[in-house]
Amino acid sequence: MSTTLANSEVVNDNAACCRVPTVQHDYSGKGEYKSYAGMDKVYMVGPEGTGKAIIIIYDIFGYFPQTLQGADLLAEAVGARVLMPDFLMGKPWPADKFPPQTKTDEVQLQLYFGTTANPLLTMPYINGVGEELKKEGAQKVGVLGFCWGGKLSIKCGSQSWADGVAAIHPAMLTTSDADNIKVPLALFPSVDEPVEEYEGMVKALSDKPWSAKNAYKVYPSVSHGFAAARANLSDPDGKAQFEDVYTRTAAFFKSVFE
């Protein structure tokens, strides 16, 4: 991914990522917002002092009710401190401008992925949070990302402070993204993602000494975004798959944190 863009350059080529609209749901979250590791706004929930922490990287819509609910579920199920920093620095992509309706809108969205949401520019902030958690005494730190955030969580798999990484309906991944992963991986794509690429990632990591902790499941009945801002919890199947993927993600992190 480049940090500069020509007007026609596509940064995120996952069509579903750029088409599935957001769904509004009422949920305020059980946590609180604080500053941490040089970041002005971080959603924090879950017990402190457990030695276990999970960093969540939201999708481009930022702090959506469904994503906050997922953070709260993980904190309770894993018994870990969960942090969701505002990595987009108060500039999430507006839900009312999604999906893009014109060619100009499409170009602007791709420009957003190359600037505000550029993974190369975001990684230093993620590393700062992870390193601070370890410095403060966290023995185990995991990372979970959605869509755009899934690309970033996978990149964290090569960092010395990370103990396990998970991605739910990730975007912008290819089999080669597994090359530098040094910790257990959980990967949960929807039917909209390039499953063959993700199966290649899982296969590439199958001979690692920690591969027994890896987790993988494809969700064929729900669309991209089903566990974050685009989760449709009013739909019975959407709610069931939302609950299932968070249950599996919690089990993954509990295994990693053992």
Side-chain angles (χ1 to χ4, degrees), residues 22-166:
T22 58
V23 178
Q24 297 287 342
H25 288 282
D26 294 328
Y27 187 86
S28 59
K30 299 177 181 178
E32 57 186 339
Y33 293 93
K34 296 182 178 181
S35 59
Y36 186 79
M39 304 212 63
D40 293 336
K41 185 177 182 180
V42 180
Y43 180 76
M44 296 186 181
V45 66
E48 298 183 68
T50 65
K52 300 176 291 186
I54 300 171
I55 300 169
I56 292 182
I57 309 170
Y58 49 36
D59 57 22
I60 62 168
F61 304 105
Y63 293 115
F64 245 70
Q66 299 95 307
T67 316
L68 294 177
Q69 186 170 354
D72 292 353
L73 290 171
L74 275 183
E76 182 174 355
V78 181
R81 188 68 166 166
V82 172
L83 295 84
M84 190 188 303
D86 188 17
F87 290 122
L88 295 174
M89 309 299 180
K91 297 179 181 178
W93 186 260
D96 61 2
K97 292 182 63 177
F98 197 91
Q101 299 298 313
T102 67
K103 184 65 176 178
T104 298
D105 290 344
E106 292 176 357
V107 170
Q108 288 300 315
L109 179 58
Q110 295 302 333
L111 285 170
Y112 181 80
F113 278 115
T115 52
T116 302
N118 189 324
L120 297 178
L121 302 179
T122 307
M123 276 304 298
Y125 295 102
I126 303 173
N127 284 332
V129 174
E131 290 165 0
E132 185 66 19
L133 285 167
K134 282 294 180 79
K135 187 186 302 181
E136 291 187 349
Q139 297 172 348
K140 299 287 185 178
V141 176
V143 188
L144 167 64
F146 309 96
C147 186
W148 161 82
K151 174 72 171 183
L152 288 160
S153 66
I154 297 303
K155 290 177 72 67
C156 291
S158 65
Q159 303 302 307
S160 61
W161 54 264
D163 297 287
V165 295

Side-chain angles (χ1 to χ4, degrees), residues 145-188:
F146 309 96
C147 186
W148 161 82
K151 174 72 171 183
L152 288 160
S153 66
I154 297 303
K155 290 177 72 67
C156 291
S158 65
Q159 303 302 307
S160 61
W161 54 264
D163 297 287
V165 295
I168 302 177
H169 47 74
M172 302 178 283
L173 290 180
T174 64
T175 299
S176 63
D177 282 292
D179 292 349
N180 297 318
I181 295 178
K182 301 175 183 178
V183 295
L185 167 70
L187 197 56
F188 301 124

Side-chain angles (χ1 to χ4, degrees), residues 181-197:
I181 295 178
K182 301 175 183 178
V183 295
L185 167 70
L187 197 56
F188 301 124
S190 76
V191 69
D192 292 327
E193 277 81 65
V195 173
E196 66 281 358
E197 295 286 350

